[in-house]
Amino acid sequence: MLRLSLARRRSLLPWLFVGPGLLWLALFFIIPLANQANVSLQTGNPDTGYAFTWAFSTYTDAISEYQEQFLRSLGYAATATVLCLIIAFPLAYFTAYRAGRFRNLMLLLIILPFFMSYVLRTVAWQLILSDNGWVLARLRDVGLVSDTGRLLATRTAVIAGITYNFLPFMALPLYVSLEKIDRRLIEAAKDLYASPITAFRKVTLPLALPGIFAGSLLTFIPACGDFVNAALLGTSRQFMIGNVIQSKFITILDYPTAAALSFILMSFILIGIFIYARLLGARNLTQAAL
Amino acid sequence: MTDAEQAQRESTEPAGLGPAESDICLQGVSKRFAGTTAVDDLDLEIERGAFFALLGPSGCGKTTTLRMIGGFEAPTEGRVLLGGEDVTDRPPYKRDVNTVFQSYALFPHLTVERNVAFGLERRKLDKAEIARRVQETLELVQLEALAGRKPAQLSGGQQQRVALARALVNRPRALLLDEPLGALDLRLRKQLQIELKRIQQDVGITFVHVTHDQEEAMTMADRIAVMHKGRIEQAGGAAELYERPRTAFVANFLGVSNLVDARLGERDGELVTLETHDGARLRAPADRVGPHDGQAVQVGVRPEKVRLLRDGVAPPEDANLLRGTIVVASFLGVSIQYLVRTKGGEELTVVVQNTEGEPDAFTVGSEVQLAWPPRHTFVVAKETHHEA
Ligand SMILES: Nc1ncnc2c1ncn2[C@@H]1O[C@H](COP(=O)(O)OP(=O)(O)OP(=O)(O)O)[C@@H](O)[C@H]1O
Ligand SMILES: [Mg+2]
């Protein structure tokens, strides 16, 4: 057996813990990523096959051709994220502070939708919003929707679907960060002349920032690449970039464009996260938790 | 209680302050939680500028009392007055008192400086004034060097000082301190006791200090209220509480006390006579008899007031006298502490100053007489179960 000094063993120990994770990342993330990068720079067609040619034009073509879907994806995802935050914050707040012995029940209710398949849930929404469904009839009754207006196949339906499907991803991190806040800090704030609203603004909210950040990422990132909601609740006029990528890959077999679109989306998301972190104050995010 | 309180007030009042103004006043305050009465019909008056200690064992309602003054808990009954104004229904942020929490409750996301500025910022003082007062207060608690740190980067004692500064900087009517030194080790606690006392004298704000440590209360406070089961048993200066306890609980909670069951007898001028259960006749000043029902009482004396005499030595005239056998003798350096079992079976503590340099003056097993002047004797109602 190899004999190592204590200091040496200490320095090797962390690798033992992160090793499996690194291996997993290398196998299922880095390698496919490199592979796709390679594919995105190939040219050819499905019949004759593709060859690597440093074809950067695929990127510029993809951007100009699918600009609309890109913007729509970011817009829908951002709207849904904001809606999720608005709905989930009071939900998480109530669950963390006011639910008492119903707290676990509330948490169960929040994650309950996960027990059913994503696609199935969205299909259920299709039924709920359908043209001869109960909801539309009632909305027409009260005049919120005109007699020829629809719910299904609209932008509203797609955004509502995304919001619904990603709500738990927002609610759970928010709950965790709120639950962690020592309530005595709120008492201290009130002792120091802060009204309940000021105490919320100056203490609860800053300390909940890591949860807001995590929840927003967990909602925004998958929402950007989502195609299920647009496919089931919208029409081609509501298609997002996920729908384009899916059809390029699976129907048209235009692999380079699909790969290029994926990379462009990824860079958009990374830039978005960077700006968002800056806005919230990255120092706050890491230190508020201390 | 009122007589004693009056006497105390006259003796401790600083000259030149005029008639004491009541700063904090609780009138008939009770607090009941589902099933328990935490505070029971409590009356309390705290003078402006006093260092007031609420002393009592765990669970006696100290924190609850303090939280009702701060506004975090609403009394079930009774009124809370601050500076003569009824604030019973006012939320904490509209009360002119600040709290130093036992857990400190410092805002983890703010620097020391911003923590201290928090109250002033809420009161919308102008920036320069806030900066000046924060600086001044940080100097007072000797933390100016750490102004830029976050609470997580401070030691326990430093955090305690930030909590103090954060409250003091607002110059409130009164500062409420809930076991502010409870989480610190003994040395630091002793040091901060002195420091707190100094700061209180410097700023002249009323301090209400909750503690279960009698030594801490006696070191720091001008006045101490001893709480027991949601009530105040006795309030007064440290010396008064020690020398003239009015109840067995106070006698036991503050220092060591020797209590012997007795029956109250005739009054004899300034003195009352008592007969202990084993037949000894003792006397005590009439004004040192606490409230009691009937004649069954306990008669007490503090350990250092008692003189030990060998069997057969003639005791001083008029002294109270009990007989017993030495059970334990402990040499403590400054003094020698004896445990003496009386004829009636009580074990009494006697402390003798070590002036003779003869640690074995009385050996275990020797028969002794315990003698003390009647004026050091106190009488309290008989308590069926002891708690100390
Ligand atoms: N929120 C509450 N709900 C129910 N009972 C409570 C509550 N707060 C306090 N009590 C009860 O009231 C009594 C007094 O509590 P309090 O915290 O005032 O005691 P304390 O004197 O501060 O004790 P300690 O020295 O241990 O801090 C206790 O019996 C406690 O269990
Ligand atoms: Mg307490």
Side-chain angles (χ1 to χ4, degrees), chain A residues 182 184-185 187-196 198 202-203 206-207 283-284 287-288 290, chain B residues 67 72 92-93 95-99 101 103 105-109 118-119 122-123 150 166 170:
Chain A
D182 184 350
R184 288 175 294 193
L185 295 178
E187 282 197 349
K190 290 185 182 166
D191 186 68
L192 295 164
Y193 318 110
S195 65
T198 314
K202 292 286 174 184
V203 180
L207 291 175
R283 273 174 61 84
N284 278 343
Q287 297 205 346
L290 283 177
Chain B
R67 288 173 61 82
F72 300 109
Y93 55 94
R95 293 190 190 200
D96 190 17
V97 293
N98 288 116
T99 308
F101 294 88
S103 58
L106 300 177
F107 303 122
H109 57 301
F118 195 92
R122 302 289 80 72
R123 292 201 300 185
K150 292 275 177 74
R166 189 177 68 173
N170 304 295

Side-chain angles (χ1 to χ4, degrees), chain A:
Chain A
M1 257 216 72
L2 218 67
R3 286 189 154 267
L4 295 171
S5 73
L6 185 65
R8 198 61 197 280
R9 266 182 284 161
R10 281 247 169 87
S11 66
L12 285 178
L13 196 63
W15 293 103
L16 203 65
F17 283 91
V18 297
L22 283 180
L23 201 67
W24 193 88
L25 265 183
L27 274 179
F28 298 106
F29 184 68
I30 312 263
I31 294 175
L33 203 68
N35 180 41
Q36 285 305 303
N38 179 297
V39 170
S40 74
L41 296 172
Q42 295 176 356
T43 44
N45 64 60
D47 303 325
T48 57
Y50 296 95
F52 188 83
T53 56
W54 291 108
F56 282 108
S57 60
T58 315
Y59 280 82
T60 47
D61 292 347
I63 289 184
S64 51
E65 196 177 340
Y66 298 105
Q67 196 180 10
E68 190 190 327
Q69 281 83 356
F70 268 120
L71 291 179
R72 190 181 289 140
S73 291
L74 296 175
Y76 283 11
T79 312
T81 305
V82 171
L83 287 174
C84 275
L85 185 61
I86 292 172
I87 298 168
F89 201 98
L91 184 66
Y93 189 93
F94 178 86
T95 308
Y97 301 138
R98 299 288 152 82
R101 62 205 171 88
F102 296 111
R103 181 191 280 200
N104 287 335
L105 183 67
M106 292 285 296
L107 285 175
L108 182 69
L109 290 178
I110 291 173
I111 58 166
L112 203 58
F114 285 147
F115 288 95
M116 206 204 277
S117 124
Y118 180 31
V119 176
L120 218 59
R121 271 181 282 146
T122 314
V123 169
W125 269 88
Q126 212 175 23
L127 291 176
I128 294 169
L129 301 176
S130 74
D131 290 344
N132 34 29
W134 185 87
V135 175
L136 188 62
R138 292 295 83 75
L139 287 174
R140 278 178 178 159
D141 285 350
V142 297
L144 273 174
V145 176
S146 73
D147 285 350
T148 53
R150 306 182 61 187
L151 281 179
L152 198 63
T154 62
R155 186 173 58 186
T156 313
V158 178
I159 293 176
I162 297 174
T163 306
Y164 160 75
N165 277 311
F166 291 104
L167 192 66
F169 293 106
M170 181 66 91
L172 292 178
L174 277 180
Y175 166 80
V176 171
S177 71
L178 285 171
E179 202 261 342
K180 228 172 48 181
I181 299 174
D182 184 350
R183 297 316 285 163
R184 288 175 294 193
L185 295 178
I186 309 304
E187 282 197 349
K190 290 185 182 166
D191 186 68
L192 295 164
Y193 318 110
S195 65
I197 291 171
T198 314
F200 175 81
R201 227 162 33 82
K202 292 286 174 184
V203 180
T204 310
L205 205 55
L207 291 175
L209 275 187
I212 295 176
F213 187 67
S216 303
L217 293 194
L218 288 177
T219 309
F220 183 76
I221 296 171
C224 272
D226 185 75
F227 60 93
V228 174
N229 287 282
L232 293 178
L233 304 174
T235 65
S236 62
R237 271 175 297 128
Q238 281 81 37
F239 273 6
M240 296 165 70
I241 202 64
N243 303 87
V244 179
I245 295 171
Q246 194 223 13
S247 82
K248 290 277 178 207
F249 254 118
I250 293 168
T251 321
I252 308 174
L253 308 182
D254 179 359
Y255 302 125
T257 307
L261 285 169
S262 303
F263 276 104
I264 296 166
L265 179 65
M266 200 164 84
S267 49
F268 277 169
I269 290 173
L270 286 175
I271 292 168
I273 292 172
F274 182 75
I275 295 171
Y276 186 57
R278 270 305 169 92
L279 282 177
L280 288 184
R283 273 174 61 84
N284 278 343
L285 291 180
T286 47
Q287 297 205 346
L290 283 177

